Amino acid sequence: MLTRFVLPTITGCAGNEKIHHLILLVIGLATLLGSGGWLWYARFAEKPLSCIGNVEWNIGSNRFAGTLAFRMYDNAGLATITGKLYGRNTSDISRNIYFNYTRQHEARVLQAMQVVKTFADSADETDINNTLPGFYRQSGRTLSLVMEEYKGTWIFASSNVPSLYCRKR
């Protein structure tokens, strides 16, 4: 003997319409909150900064000419400095500076955590000490920069004096 199961139909019930409207309302609210959260994140979340620029520093009789690249994200970063140092001797500089940073109003205060000389770095320490800011020479040193985004680039300033025009990469 074969038994047939018959499912009751749910059409025409007022309760089902309420459930249908409630489901649509929940889906609509979830979509609204999800897209609102995504838009907020896209607008206000910190975006990675990656740029490179040419620098020339003249301090006394010493001169440094080269490139400076920055990568920053989530309160940590890397600065890469390469170029020629003209002092008592002409030498090459090539080093990576790993740093942490904090934001203070419009400025970012960078603190060097580790300075790594590459094999190409042959600079005389006396010349470096007389030419490069401490941040690029020693761990623990700080550098305060105001950074403004301008037409697809970053302008870095120290003490309200522009110091680097950094092209985005």
Side-chain angles (χ1 to χ4, degrees), residues 7-39:
L7 295 173
T9 60
I10 56 172
T11 59
C13 294
N16 288 329
E17 285 183 24
K18 287 182 182 178
I19 291 173
H20 181 70
H21 289 306
L22 183 62
I23 290 171
L24 288 177
L25 180 66
V26 168
I27 290 171
L29 284 174
T31 302
L32 181 68
L33 291 174
S35 62
W38 181 82
L39 287 172

Side-chain angles (χ1 to χ4, degrees), residues 105-143:
H105 304 290
E106 295 296 318
R108 293 185 195 191
V109 179
L110 287 55
Q111 181 172 14
M113 303 308 288
Q114 184 179 11
V115 177
V116 179
K117 294 181 187 180
T118 69
F119 64 91
D121 193 314
S122 62
D124 180 70
E125 287 301 316
T126 304
D127 287 341
I128 287 177
N129 291 340
N130 292 332
T131 310
L132 295 183
F135 173 80
Y136 302 104
R137 296 182 281 128
Q138 294 177 303
S139 299
R141 301 295 294 266
T142 61
L143 178 67

Side-chain angles (χ1 to χ4, degrees), residues 33-75:
L33 291 174
S35 62
W38 181 82
L39 287 172
W40 179 87
Y41 177 79
R43 174 147 167 83
F44 296 110
E46 181 179 10
K47 294 168 184 59
L49 181 148
S50 181
C51 67
I52 188 168
N54 299 324
V55 294
E56 185 169 332
W57 293 320
N58 294 294
I59 299 177
S61 61
N62 292 353
R63 180 171 76 95
F64 171 75
T67 60
L68 186 55
F70 278 94
R71 290 186 184 141
M72 294 185 212
Y73 182 67
D74 199 24
N75 299 323

